Amino acid sequence: MKQRLVTTIAKKEIRSITSEKTIILAILLQLFIAMFSSFLMVGLSAMYDPSVYGRVTGVQYGVGFIGNDTILFDLFSREPSFIPYQMDAATALGALKERKLAAVLWTSESPPEAEDPVTVTLYTISNDIQSTVIEVKIKDILLEYEEILRDIRKDRLDFEPIQVSVSRPVAQNSFYEFIYGLLIPMLLFMPAIISAGLVIDLITEEYQQQTLDTLRTSSATLEDIVCGKILACIAIIPVQVILWLILLSINGIRIAALVEILLHVVFASAALILIAATIAVFYRDRTKAQFIFSTAVIIVLLLILAFPSNPINLIVLLAVGVAPLYHWAVMAASIAGCLILIVLVRNMIRRVEYS
């Protein structure tokens, strides 16, 4: 293998990537997410955990009440986010339709101490972000109202409820859980998926467009050509990862151990690219290679995620600054895996070249 030819081919492939519209669009999408992550996190983390909407403060919502349930009305009166109004049904529903009210509650005529069930009907505007906020906030009040009703009606029980002691709940922050547990691994490993798919296209298109024989008329061997393409796909990964990390930091997302994260991502991505290259050289057909690679990635990911010390978990721990020291052993294992895959790729190339 000639290093000069491999480098030349890699530079040529990097320049040609700009013509791959799918790849550029995927990179631009990641760039957009990384640039505006602090803005997007509010909506995305709410999809991950809708209860974050309940923490939206500083806004008061008008709520119409139909019925004579004073307990529930008083609960809403004490909540600073709501301004309750006692109204008749036609007026309340008309005001909701005109968006003069954020919600309408219609309580049954059954008093809290009655034998009949107490029902509460909630009306909100469909397909509206404000309604989502309202529903999350109202849920807490209705749960409190339920506890009050249980306390009022507890004398009607003819048996003693079983007391269940639960452990103290652990405080959680869904916003940071989403950022560090999902967003950062997704952004950092997405370049690996893109580059692995790209290397398959770069190798198989030489066979399908019958340009490989033209390249081999020069002094470059098949090994030089394939290794150049692999090098090009690996080279764009640290550039993207560094850019994502910088943009996330600019958005106020603190990420510790930047160098260690970069090394883990590069070596794990290199292993994925080498697997893709091996499959591409063996099948030499884009459709077959992409299908086999996708299946292989799913199997490999399931096997890796079965271990708690997998690179994805370590990236999360490194990002928050609590990674164990054995992450260096995992990195060494990734490097060893890359070396084994390099030998496998070279053997596959020689087998194809001389077959």
Side-chain angles (χ1 to χ4, degrees):
M1 183 174 65
K2 305 176 185 64
Q3 184 177 357
R4 181 181 61 82
L5 289 174
V6 171
T7 305
T8 302
I9 294 171
K11 291 179 180 178
K12 168 188 168 294
E13 295 298 344
I14 291 175
R15 288 194 299 268
S16 67
I17 288 175
T18 56
S19 62
E20 294 285 341
K21 295 181 180 180
T22 304
I23 303 301
I24 297 302
L25 287 174
I27 294 175
L28 289 176
L29 177 60
Q30 297 173 78
L31 180 63
F32 176 80
I33 294 174
M35 287 179 64
F36 300 99
S37 54
S38 60
F39 172 75
L40 294 173
M41 281 313 93
V42 177
L44 292 176
S45 60
M47 292 172 60
Y48 177 72
D49 181 9
S51 65
V52 300
Y53 281 127
R55 295 192 283 271
V56 178
T57 58
V59 180
Q60 287 187 316
Y61 304 98
V63 178
F65 269 85
I66 306 171
N68 299 316
D69 196 319
T70 56
I71 296 177
L72 189 57
F73 188 88
D74 291 340
L75 290 176
F76 274 85
S77 300
R78 294 200 301 264
E79 173 59 46
S81 298
F82 295 110
I83 305 176
Y85 301 96
Q86 196 74 43
M87 311 173 74
D88 61 81
T91 304
L93 295 175
L96 177 64
K97 185 177 181 181
E98 296 175 2
R99 293 182 177 266
K100 294 180 180 179
L101 293 176
V104 173
L105 278 92
W106 192 331
T107 59
S108 64
E109 297 298 329
S110 302
E113 65 277 1
E115 295 286 336
D116 297 328
V118 175
T119 60
V120 179
T121 305
L122 174 64
Y123 297 91
T124 57
I125 300 170
S126 62
N127 301 324
D128 187 84
I129 187 67
Q130 178 179 273
S131 297
T132 306
V133 178
I134 293 294
E135 290 167 5
V136 173
K137 287 180 173 290
I138 287 179
K139 176 184 176 182
D140 295 332
I141 298 178
L142 293 179
L143 288 173
E144 184 180 355
Y145 179 58
E146 181 184 25
E147 290 299 322
I148 293 174
L149 291 179
R150 288 180 184 275
D151 186 63
I152 292 173
R153 300 186 176 198
K154 65 182 180 180
D155 295 335
R156 294 158 48 184
L157 294 175
D158 55 3
F159 61 90
E160 185 68 23
I162 299 175
Q163 298 294 329
V164 179
S165 59
V166 296
S167 58
R168 182 172 57 88
V170 179
Q172 294 182 346
N173 190 318
S174 300
F175 184 79
Y176 291 101
E177 183 180 320
F178 179 83
I179 290 175
Y180 290 98
L182 183 62
L183 178 71
I184 291 176
M186 180 189 72
L187 271 179
L188 297 185
F189 282 102
M190 189 61 71
I193 303 296
I194 294 174
S195 295
L198 178 61
V199 78
I200 292 176
D201 290 346
L202 294 179
I203 293 173
T204 55
E205 73 178 2
E206 299 291 355
Y207 287 98
Q208 294 182 335
Q209 296 179 6
Q210 299 180 349
T211 55
L212 186 62
D213 292 335
T214 304
L215 289 174
R216 293 175 68 179
T217 55
S218 63
S219 56
T221 62
L222 179 60
E223 184 176 347
D224 296 330
I225 296 169
V226 173
C227 289
K229 295 177 184 295
I230 293 173
L231 180 60
C233 293
I234 294 176
I236 63 176
I237 288 177
V239 177
Q240 293 182 73
V241 172
I242 291 172
L243 181 58
W244 304 163
L245 292 174
I246 291 173
L247 291 174
L248 289 171
S249 300
I250 292 174
N251 276 267
I253 300 173
R254 180 183 175 274
I255 302 176
L258 297 177
V259 176
E260 290 88 344
I261 289 175
L262 178 62
L263 292 174
H264 272 286
V265 173
V266 168
F267 288 123
S269 302
L272 199 61
I273 292 170
L274 288 167
I275 292 174
T278 305
I279 294 172
V281 171
F282 180 78
Y283 285 99
R284 287 163 281 178
D285 179 82
R286 181 186 179 191
T287 303
K288 292 181 181 178
Q290 290 285 9
F291 174 76
I292 297 299
F293 171 71
S294 301
T295 306
V297 166
I298 294 173
I299 296 173
V300 170
L301 284 178
L302 290 176
L303 292 175
I304 291 176
L305 292 175
F307 297 94
S309 300
N310 62 75
I312 297 177
N313 283 347
L314 290 178
I315 291 297
V316 176
L317 295 175
L318 285 167
V320 298
V322 294
L325 289 177
Y326 64 77
H327 79 87
W328 294 109
V330 176
M331 186 182 298
S334 298
I335 296 173
C338 289
L339 294 175
I340 294 172
L341 288 169
I342 288 173
V343 174
L344 181 63
V345 171
R346 296 185 68 178
N347 289 338
M348 183 63 67
I349 292 171
R350 291 168 182 170
R351 176 183 171 186
V352 170
E353 188 171 19
Y354 299 111
S355 61

